[in-house]
Amino acid sequence: MAMQDSCIIQHFGNLADLTAAEVELLQSLELNPRTYPAGEIIRSSGARADVFFTLNGGWAYAARNLSDGERQVLDLFLPGQIMGLRELGYDDSLSDFVALTEIRACPFPKTRLTEVFDQAPRLADLFMLTLAREQSMLVERIVNIGRRPADRRLAHFVVEMKLRAAPDDPDFELPMNQEVIGDTLGLSSVHVSRTFKSLEALGLVLRQGNRIQVGDFQALVDYAEFNPTYLQRQVAWVRQAAAEGV
């Protein structure tokens, strides 16, 4: 796979300037890609968690299903992200991983991470930063669900997904139906529909199918009271590449 086609190399390259050795090791995480159709469960809660998955294309999510049929979406994964990082310390999966769209994902044995980190210690820093960033997104989602009213909750979610999926475009594709959005935000699908209409009436967004158009992005940011710090990419804490190129 060419470097310019590698989502994970682009993702980690946002955190630090990668050396040739680091690029080669990251490429080893993207061998043996598999295609999963939309809706397929990639790994079920309780299944053996001996691999994680690098996401090469498409969107996926992690969710917990309750005995009463309710579901909480915990994470949304975009190309370049790693599914299963939060479960590195567990033998069994804590949640379901589901393909939101058709995806390409590469399973990578967790046991091989020691080899990767031994050969390129700085990649351990980048994995830790990636895990911390995903934890920050989960914390922000908890605050969103627990304390923001529905209109600002949805506005905040739209801002986050735009910044993650298409930061430089006025509109973006959000391949999630109302049920999945509702399960992400703790709202019913009917409430999601009403809240989108409320934001449209304010001139903040226009939703056409899976396409979200944002007229005045700063106005939407202000309305959502959105602080982008938790999505920060460049950070000061990354060790410099070793002199030998690792």
Side-chain angles (χ1 to χ4, degrees), residues 11 42-43 52-63 73-87 95-105 130-131 134-135 137 141 157 160-161 164-165 175-176 184:
H11 179 76
I42 304 160
R43 186 169 71 203
F52 58 78
F53 302 85
T54 57
L55 187 58
N56 290 44
W59 290 36
Y61 65 88
V73 173
L74 303 170
D75 298 290
L76 293 166
F77 301 107
L78 277 62
Q81 288 188 257
I82 299 172
M83 298 185 289
L85 269 185
R86 207 170 8 248
E87 300 175 339
S95 57
D96 292 340
F97 292 97
V98 184
L100 189 55
T101 67
E102 180 179 275
I103 67 169
R104 278 169 48 88
T130 298
L131 181 56
E134 293 192 359
Q135 187 71 6
M137 287 193 287
R141 188 156 297 123
F157 176 72
E160 177 188 306
M161 298 315 301
R164 291 176 59 189
M176 304 170 64
T184 304

Side-chain angles (χ1 to χ4, degrees), residues 107-216:
F108 188 87
K110 291 193 300 187
T111 54
R112 284 202 55 207
L113 272 184
T114 302
E115 174 189 335
V116 169
F117 294 159
D118 284 346
Q119 294 183 51
R122 195 170 67 133
L123 287 182
D125 297 355
L126 300 183
F127 268 77
M128 184 179 295
L129 287 173
T130 298
L131 181 56
R133 186 170 183 259
E134 293 192 359
Q135 187 71 6
S136 295
M137 287 193 287
L138 181 60
V139 168
E140 192 66 25
R141 188 156 297 123
I142 292 171
V143 174
N144 207 19
I145 293 173
R147 289 299 178 215
R148 293 189 178 104
D151 53 352
R152 282 180 167 77
R153 193 183 309 181
L154 182 58
H156 191 281
F157 176 72
V158 170
V159 173
E160 177 188 306
M161 298 315 301
K162 181 187 182 305
L163 289 175
R164 291 176 59 189
D168 300 322
D169 297 330
D171 56 359
F172 69 104
E173 194 77 16
L174 184 64
M176 304 170 64
N177 61 32
Q178 291 179 178
E179 182 180 359
V180 176
I181 294 173
D183 289 344
T184 304
L185 299 179
L187 301 171
S188 69
S189 59
V190 173
H191 203 167
V192 170
S193 178
R194 286 201 306 262
T195 307
F196 261 119
K197 290 178 181 177
S198 176
L199 295 180
E200 290 173 3
L202 293 172
L204 295 173
V205 300
L206 176 62
R207 179 177 175 231
Q208 296 178 315
N210 287 336
R211 198 75 184 170
I212 305 294
Q213 295 180 341
V214 179
D216 186 336

